[in-house]
């Protein structure tokens, strides 16, 4: 499962569903101090990959947006298979396994 939940105060709803499913990867802001991050990432995810640099989004035309995402991003893996794929993805950043 690939998930890019809506950013904002509803992200936790989507992360809970993915954590309960325990098979998939989500792209979220790396707000590591928040309750949501503690509840559904630090305490439930299998691994994380903190992406080097800030992401740029693109318009439907394919043109890059003028500004970056405005915050650091992290890929969050739930399940051993997703953690393995994340670790070997080749995406620049810092991979951290949180549990087996």
């Amino acid at each position: 499962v690939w998930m890019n939940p809506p950013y904002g105060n509803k992200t936790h709803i989507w992360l809970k569903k993915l954590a309960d499913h325990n098979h998939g990867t989500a792209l979220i802001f790396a707000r590591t101090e928040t309750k949501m991050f503690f509840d559904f990432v630090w305490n439930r995810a299998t691994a994380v990959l903190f992406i080097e640099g800030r992401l740029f989004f693109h318009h439907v035309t394919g043109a890059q947006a003028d500004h970056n995402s405005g915050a650091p991003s992290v890929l969050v893996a739930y399940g051993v298979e997703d953690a393995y794929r994340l670790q070997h993805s080749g995406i620049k950043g810092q991979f951290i396994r949180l549990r087996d």
Side-chain angles (χ1 to χ4, degrees):
V1 174
W2 165 254
M3 184 174 65
N4 184 4
Y7 287 21
N9 62 0
K10 303 290 186 209
T11 306
H12 70 282
I13 296 168
W14 295 88
L15 277 186
K16 181 184 182 320
K17 290 179 183 190
L18 190 56
D20 289 346
H21 183 63
N22 197 37
H23 182 59
T25 301
L27 171 66
I28 62 172
F29 279 141
R31 306 240 191 258
T32 59
E33 80 290 2
T34 63
K35 181 175 179 1
M36 176 199 73
F37 212 92
F38 273 87
D39 288 348
F40 302 113
V41 180
W42 292 133
N43 292 324
R44 298 201 50 198
T46 307
V48 292
L49 175 63
F50 290 94
I51 299 170
E52 184 177 316
R54 299 238 171 128
L55 297 181
F56 278 86
F57 294 103
H58 291 74
H59 300 287
V60 294
T61 62
Q64 181 176 298
D66 292 333
H67 304 286
N68 64 36
S69 61
S73 297
V74 62
L75 290 162
V76 183
Y78 295 91
V80 174
E81 183 179 333
D82 284 87
Y84 177 85
R85 288 180 181 177
L86 199 59
Q87 184 175 15
H88 298 282
S89 68
I91 297 170
K92 290 177 109 179
Q94 182 63 49
F95 175 83
I96 303 169
R97 181 172 291 277
L98 301 172
R99 60 192 41 80
D100 291 323

